[in-house]
Amino acid sequence: MKHTISVLVENHAGVLSRVSGLFSRRGFNIDSLAVGETNDPTLSRITIVADGDEHTAQQLEKQLNKLVDTVKVRTFSPDELLTRELQLIKVSAAPNQRSEIMTICEIMNAKIIDMTTNTLTVEICDSPVHLHRMHDLLEGYGIKEIVRTGVIAIQKGSATIK
Amino acid sequence: MIRAAKAMVRCLEKEGIKVVFGYPGAAICPFYDELYSSDIKHVLVRHEANAGHAASGAARITGKPAVCIATSGPGATNLLTAIATAYADSIPLICITGQVSTDQIGCDVFQEVDITGAAEPFVKYSYLIKDAKRLPEIFREAFYLAGTGRKGPVLIDVPVDVQNEMIDFSYPEEVKMRTYKPTVKGNPVQIKKICEAIEASEKPLICAGGGVFLADAKDELLKFAEKSGVPAVSTMMGLSLFPSDHPIYLGMLGMHGVKSANRAVNECDTMILIGARVGDRAVRSPSFLSQSKQIIHIDIDPAEIGKNIPVDIPLVGDCKSILAEMSEKITERDRSEWLNEVRAIKNDIAINEETEGFINPKAFLRKLSDRMPADTICVADVGQNQIWCCNNYAFKESGRFLTTGGMGTMGYSVPCAVGAKMAAPEREVVAVCGDGSFQMQMMELATIMQEKIAVKIIIMRNNKLGMVRELQTNGYGDRQIAVALDGSPDFVALAKAYGIESDRVTTMAEAEEKIEKLAASDKPYLLECNVYKLESTL
């Protein structure tokens, strides 16, 4: 089962390595990790998507809480969250395929940001499910390269992590 | 304005540090230069790991963080094993390392190593000080972190140029950390629930671990056990919490434990884990245990609860105040029926037939504990000698047992004994080791001699790495490899070469006389015991 964990940490040197080191050390598998400064510049927010059973998720949360730099840890179920990931996808596109791909991009709410005689580079920012579908749609043309930011997540409604 | 190096010394003085253990080098020289004019005593060890182990011994006796020091690069990496050992056993240490100059960090210069990076998996926290102004605040924080919550080692890496900067010195009264707030007080609802569960149970059992020592809750534990009438076992780290002959005490549990303790674990219906983390050597299949018993787990570290064993009633907090509260709430009860059931199981420790020219280490250690003063600190190393101590050295109420149960680091006993003796000079300190482990620490004979530290060293010499030999015999078809310790020196002569009194014992007939000589000496003393090469652990 996939778990999305939001961690508020002190925004100073060494914190990210402490957090990422914890995962390998304790044998937890992570799908993605995204980090950035928050509205309070002394804090960073890390969003982690990890795979594992309920026991693993609980342990993960406890071990993260144990880190001295951790301010707050929250594990969310998917229906509590709005999730987004930004991806840049370079796809093979012969001149006669361009318009098809452009239509896909339009429908999928993606943007073409670069073009050569035989490639298109697509920018898409959406939920993981939607991105997965986009991969399926583009696969047939030949995906040459994908760069992704990792999933970030925020609670639905007015609730915040404080 | 004072030099930051002076501020480092002042910080240690403010924390009440009287003795530090270390080994100097270029990158830590400004600090040593300031130590020159301080009243803090510096003990020069002969290997940096031993500075860490000695600090561990001191910390465990005083209950407060102790300090070890090493220089950058190899000095710092030599310290790593001691840091990891302290981490596994939750011992509060302040480890100060010198670092190359800030402008050279990352350039792979002479004696440079990323020690905060290397130590990361086994420190409670670490600092690389880049801004000298923050130094007093960092030291204050480090001591606070090391000595509170689940205790552990904290590393402070100080570049040599930072040590030479001038700063305004004022030591912060308070520590302000928004991220670190260990839960100290146990939840009263859970405490009530636990007391009710114990009262409702027919065959409850206490399993006490090293956490009880760390919380300084030995008296509270005894009081609770006596009032509630609940029998108790201990983990290796919890040994000497109960006097060995206490009526409700059943001995050490686990892989190398005694029958009465293990049977009690098997038969009980409720197990109360206090400051014990259900390590693999204590409980081999925790899930099997939790299926048939109610598990109550009291620990200061929330992450320990549910980590190794599923728990029915968890309680996070400092076990000193928790046990005091539980003692008040619990109804006095006589549980002699259950107690007698498990006490009836006798721990016939195989007193092997005496082989000519050898002592029986188990019987010898019993004799030793009979002779030594009640408040003796006994430090065991790792291997067969450790288990022999655990199961045979009889602890009295004021006695104390020290060993590394978590990491199992060979070469721990002598430096740990040095630290313990520095912290409690009026108490007898005996280090028991094997001929394998002794040779990982024998350079410390020089430290002992230099500082006239009157520790007593007992070497169980069987010319084998006995525990691995036994494992090879039982698990690998007796294909013995790399366990013979041929080529070892005459330890009695070796000690004499350092000017340390020493002797050898080869039969049980002379054991008492030799023990008497060791106990009567007020100087450092080394006793080599000849042990049969195939002597068994249990």
Side-chain angles (χ1 to χ4, degrees):
Chain A
M1 190 188 160
K2 298 256 187 264
H3 304 275
T4 305
I5 306 157
S6 291
V7 196
L8 279 181
V9 294
E10 291 282 0
N11 182 14
H12 57 223
V15 179
L16 188 60
S17 79
R18 285 189 176 112
V19 172
S20 57
L22 179 81
F23 282 88
S24 58
R25 200 154 68 237
R26 298 273 174 190
F28 300 127
N29 294 320
I30 48 174
D31 289 2
S32 72
L33 185 150
V35 57
E37 196 176 290
T38 65
N39 49 330
D40 174 353
T42 67
L43 290 176
S44 294
R45 179 158 168 157
I46 303 176
T47 309
I48 299 159
V49 180
D51 210 359
D53 56 17
E54 203 50 45
H55 178 255
T56 309
Q58 261 181 27
Q59 262 301 304
L60 200 52
E61 188 170 330
K62 282 179 174 176
Q63 293 294 346
L64 283 167
N65 255 319
K66 196 170 156 177
L67 288 177
V68 168
D69 291 312
T70 302
V71 179
K72 188 101 192 173
V73 184
R74 286 288 303 274
T75 305
F76 294 106
S77 65
D79 55 353
E80 292 174 275
L81 290 174
L82 297 165
T83 54
R84 288 292 180 274
E85 179 172 356
L86 174 68
Q87 292 190 0
L88 302 175
I89 307 168
K90 196 168 282 180
V91 60
S92 300
N96 61 353
Q97 294 172 314
R98 277 180 202 149
S99 60
E100 277 177 44
I101 295 172
M102 283 168 70
T103 312
I104 292 170
C105 287
E106 201 178 330
I107 296 166
M108 294 299 286
N109 209 10
K111 221 162 92 182
I112 292 166
I113 55 170
D114 195 16
M115 177 177 149
T116 67
T117 47
N118 54 4
T119 64
L120 285 172
T121 301
V122 176
E123 171 197 313
I124 181 165
C125 178
D126 219 305
S127 66
V129 179
H130 193 87
L131 292 172
H132 201 74
R133 196 171 303 139
M134 186 65 169
H135 292 172
D136 288 347
L137 289 166
L138 293 181
E139 208 166 12
Y141 301 96
I143 295 174
K144 295 170 80 75
E145 199 173 16
I146 296 181
V147 185
R148 50 208 295 180
T149 57
V151 176
I152 54 169
I154 198 162
Q155 279 165 283
K156 286 177 184 167
S158 60
T160 60
I161 302 181
K162 267 277 140 52
Chain B
M1 299 276 269
I2 61 171
R3 186 150 72 139
K6 192 183 191 70
M8 291 164 75
V9 175
R10 292 276 293 277
C11 291
L12 300 186
E13 288 167 350
K14 288 273 184 191
E15 291 292 341
I17 297 297
K18 301 273 187 285
V19 56
V20 295
F21 306 89
Y23 207 109
I28 192 73
C29 262
F31 169 78
Y32 270 86
D33 187 46
E34 295 294 347
L35 207 54
Y36 186 89
S37 38
S38 158
D39 289 334
I40 294 175
K41 161 104 189 142
H42 180 272
V43 175
L44 177 67
V45 293
R46 294 304 193 264
H47 185 289
E48 289 87 350
N50 297 332
H53 295 324
S56 166
R60 293 173 79 170
I61 293 305
T62 60
K64 297 201 180 81
V67 179
C68 55
I69 302 145
T71 191
S72 63
T77 52
N78 270 350
L79 198 56
L80 283 175
T81 301
I83 298 176
T85 306
Y87 186 74
D89 294 336
S90 307
I91 310 299
L93 295 190
I94 300 294
C95 311
I96 300 171
T97 51
Q99 181 55 278
V100 301
S101 190
T102 345
D103 57 323
Q104 293 181 317
I105 287 179
C107 300
D108 300 326
V109 296
F110 179 68
Q111 291 196 332
E112 182 192 353
V113 77
D114 169 17
I115 197 63
T116 50
E120 175 51 32
F122 37 79
V123 287
K124 186 164 175 186
Y125 201 61
S126 61
Y127 299 90
L128 167 58
I129 305 188
K130 287 185 169 162
D131 177 3
K133 287 193 291 297
R134 283 205 61 216
L135 191 139
E137 176 198 338
I138 285 174
F139 268 68
R140 181 76 182 84
E141 247 181 50
F143 272 89
Y144 175 67
L145 282 171
T148 57
R150 179 169 184 177
K151 297 173 182 180
V154 175
L155 172 70
I156 312 175
D157 196 23
V158 196
V160 65
D161 59 322
V162 171
Q163 294 173 48
N164 278 323
E165 273 180 53
M166 298 300 283
I167 60 165
D168 285 318
F169 181 77
S170 76
Y171 202 57
E173 291 286 318
E174 271 177 65
V175 177
K176 281 184 226 124
M177 295 181 80
R178 61 177 162 182
T179 56
Y180 176 76
K181 291 180 193 84
T183 310
V184 178
K185 230 183 119 26
N187 180 325
V189 179
Q190 288 298 91
I191 292 178
K192 190 160 168 264
K193 212 168 146 188
I194 288 175
C195 287
E196 285 167 3
I198 295 170
E199 278 163 11
S201 114
E202 282 314 306
K203 295 179 171 184
L205 181 72
I206 291 169
C207 172
V212 180
F213 275 122
L214 293 163
D216 186 27
K218 181 180 163 174
D219 296 345
E220 286 77 4
L221 173 69
L222 241 74
K223 199 175 157 203
F224 173 74
E226 282 164 2
K227 189 178 173 197
S228 64
V230 179
V233 299
S234 80
T235 66
M236 184 181 281
M237 294 300 284
L239 274 173
S240 75
L241 279 168
F242 291 91
S244 302
D245 59 356
H246 196 287
I248 61 156
Y249 179 61
L250 303 164
M252 180 175 85
L253 85 165
M255 182 169 158
H256 292 112
V258 294
K259 218 193 277 176
S260 55
N262 284 331
R263 193 70 71 80
V265 170
N266 208 35
E267 307 276 307
C268 73
D269 57 15
T270 299
M271 199 163 166
I272 310 140
L273 298 155
I274 310 172
R277 63 188 170 91
V278 201
D280 59 321
R281 297 295 150 117
V283 180
R284 193 177 283 180
S285 30
S287 54
F288 176 74
L289 208 64
S290 65
Q291 277 164 20
S292 55
K293 305 165 196 314
Q294 177 172 229
I295 305 288
I296 296 168
H297 196 172
I298 303 169
D299 206 290
I300 187 90
D301 180 1
E304 279 308 332
I305 288 174
K307 186 180 89 178
N308 294 338
I309 192 167
V311 174
D312 297 295
I313 314 177
L315 176 55
V316 176
D318 172 52
C319 66
K320 192 179 176 78
S321 62
I322 288 171
L323 282 164
E325 242 177 279
M326 279 168 61
S327 289
E328 245 170 66
K329 289 217 164 58
I330 201 95
T331 323
E332 206 165 331
R333 181 160 164 192
D334 174 59
R335 292 183 181 271
S336 43
E337 200 179 320
W338 157 229
L339 184 62
N340 290 339
E341 184 186 328
V342 273
R343 277 204 78 85
I345 302 150
K346 292 284 170 241
N347 299 315
D348 304 320
I349 301 227
I351 303 275
N352 301 357
E353 268 178 54
E354 207 178 313
T355 321
E356 215 185 303
F358 300 104
I359 64 139
N360 178 319
K362 297 157 197 168
F364 181 87
L365 287 164
R366 290 179 181 196
K367 279 189 191 301
L368 178 74
S369 59
D370 287 345
R371 172 57 186 86
M372 296 307 285
D375 68 347
T376 297
I377 298 163
C378 172
V379 191
D381 216 280
V382 169
Q384 289 187 308
N385 64 83
Q386 184 180 34
I387 309 303
W388 291 334
C389 274
C390 290
N391 293 332
N392 295 284
Y393 192 100
F395 296 98
K396 313 201 176 70
E397 196 170 339
S398 55
R400 180 72 198 265
F401 180 61
L402 301 177
T403 195
T404 160
M407 259 281 278
T409 307
M410 282 173 75
Y412 178 75
S413 62
V414 173
C416 173
V418 163
K421 186 71 180 172
M422 293 299 288
E426 71 293 348
R427 290 171 77 174
E428 282 281 2
V429 182
V430 184
V432 179
C433 50
D435 47 349
S437 50
F438 179 70
Q439 288 181 77
M440 287 198 184
Q441 57 196 339
M442 61 187 183
M443 68 290 259
E444 292 310 315
L445 292 181
T447 311
I448 288 168
M449 215 39 208
Q450 183 171 0
E451 299 294 340
K452 307 274 179 287
I453 303 165
V455 295
K456 312 288 167 67
I457 300 168
I458 290 175
I459 305 173
M460 295 295 181
R461 175 174 193 154
N462 60 357
N463 294 306
K464 292 269 180 196
L465 295 172
M467 202 171 236
V468 183
R469 192 280 306 159
E470 199 173 48
L471 184 63
Q472 290 177 353
T473 299
N474 298 333
Y476 297 89
D478 200 26
R479 288 152 56 86
Q480 292 186 27
I481 177 165
V483 291
L485 288 171
D486 303 334
S488 303
D490 173 343
F491 297 125
V492 177
L494 182 79
K496 290 217 160 69
Y498 282 94
I500 291 176
E501 280 185 59
S502 57
D503 204 352
R504 176 178 293 114
V505 51
T506 52
T507 65
M508 282 311 283
E510 52 178 10
E512 261 166 57
E513 174 208 332
K514 302 276 181 173
I515 288 171
E516 186 55 41
K517 263 177 70 188
L518 170 135
S521 169
D522 58 356
K523 295 196 176 67
Y525 198 95
L526 184 145
L527 183 59
E528 182 186 304
C529 304
N530 274 16
V531 174
Y532 179 52
K533 62 178 181 185
L534 298 179
E535 187 69 51
S536 65
T537 303
L538 292 174

